[in-house]
Amino acid sequence: MTEVLRYRRASAWEYDLILREAEKYGELKHRTFAVVEGKFRDVYAVNGRVWREVENLRINPYAYGTFVGTIKVDNLVEKFYPNVEFFYFVDVKKNYAVLTPRAGFLFTTGKDVPKSGVRSYNWQGTKKLVIYDENGVILGIGRINPGSREKFILNVTDVGEFLRRNR
């Protein structure tokens, strides 16, 4: 059984879901998003000029843009679940942590980070944090655990996950 995929521009409601997620961390810097509907609704950041070209194609595109997350229905509520690449399209001003080099390495290998490995952090509201190294490179997404010194930031996802996956 083959599932039919629908390619389209993100609706106003979907864009609002993306915008609300970005506002937890800062300001969204990108405006054009596309959705591929299949089993899930995958969201892609698309260049506006390229999107105008894609709309005029008579065939479905093979590649779309940068995959930035998925919209899923969770307990009858639609929610946008971003991946690491999404934060390259957000001007992050809050809910982030900067790690020391050793802690950054541990984080990219799937480990949790102790409080001593956090150089600085800004936590306002949401439990999820964007994780950076000292050079400003995004390492992943973590969940703050303020009650623990040993597992202060729990690894949700990181850039090393692709390399660790089972093939």
Side-chain angles (χ1 to χ4, degrees):
M1 180 176 125
T2 344
E3 192 168 328
V4 177
L5 298 177
R6 261 186 68 210
Y7 301 84
R8 60 179 175 76
R9 178 172 258 177
S11 69
W13 172 253
E14 291 163 332
Y15 183 77
D16 190 51
L17 290 174
I18 296 164
L19 187 61
R20 276 189 278 163
E21 188 65 27
E23 287 173 346
K24 294 177 185 176
Y25 304 93
E27 185 179 337
L28 187 62
K29 299 185 291 188
H30 192 75
R31 301 289 175 241
T32 309
F33 293 93
V35 173
V36 176
E37 280 188 277
K39 185 175 181 182
F40 300 107
R41 283 185 287 167
D42 292 334
V43 180
Y44 293 83
V46 181
N47 179 307
R49 188 180 51 119
V50 172
W51 177 253
R52 287 187 292 280
E53 301 273 337
V54 168
E55 286 182 316
N56 294 325
L57 290 177
R58 293 174 195 249
I59 58 172
N60 290 332
Y62 178 75
Y64 224 43
T66 303
F67 176 65
V68 294
T70 303
I71 295 173
K72 296 180 185 174
V73 177
D74 205 11
N75 293 331
L76 301 175
V77 176
E78 286 185 320
K79 186 163 177 6
F80 174 65
Y81 293 93
N83 64 8
V84 176
E85 286 77 19
F86 174 70
F87 295 101
Y88 286 104
F89 298 97
V90 177
D91 186 14
V92 177
K93 300 283 188 206
K94 58 186 178 182
N95 295 318
Y96 66 87
V98 178
L99 305 182
T100 62
R102 178 165 166 65
F105 172 75
L106 287 173
F107 190 82
T108 59
T109 59
K111 307 290 188 291
D112 299 327
V113 177
K115 190 162 187 174
S116 61
V118 178
R119 184 145 330 240
S120 65
Y121 70 98
N122 180 317
W123 176 40
Q124 300 174 18
T126 182
K127 289 243 181 201
K128 285 186 184 174
L129 302 176
V130 181
I131 309 300
Y132 290 96
D133 71 1
E134 291 179 317
N135 301 317
V137 175
I138 299 173
L139 300 178
I141 302 169
R143 180 172 283 119
I144 193 163
N145 184 13
S148 174
R149 294 191 68 71
E150 289 303 311
K151 293 186 174 192
F152 185 66
I153 295 179
L154 305 173
N155 186 314
V156 174
T157 186
D158 61 80
V159 294
E161 200 170 279
F162 177 76
L163 298 174
R164 293 191 309 271
R165 78 184 193 286
N166 292 332
R167 296 178 208 201

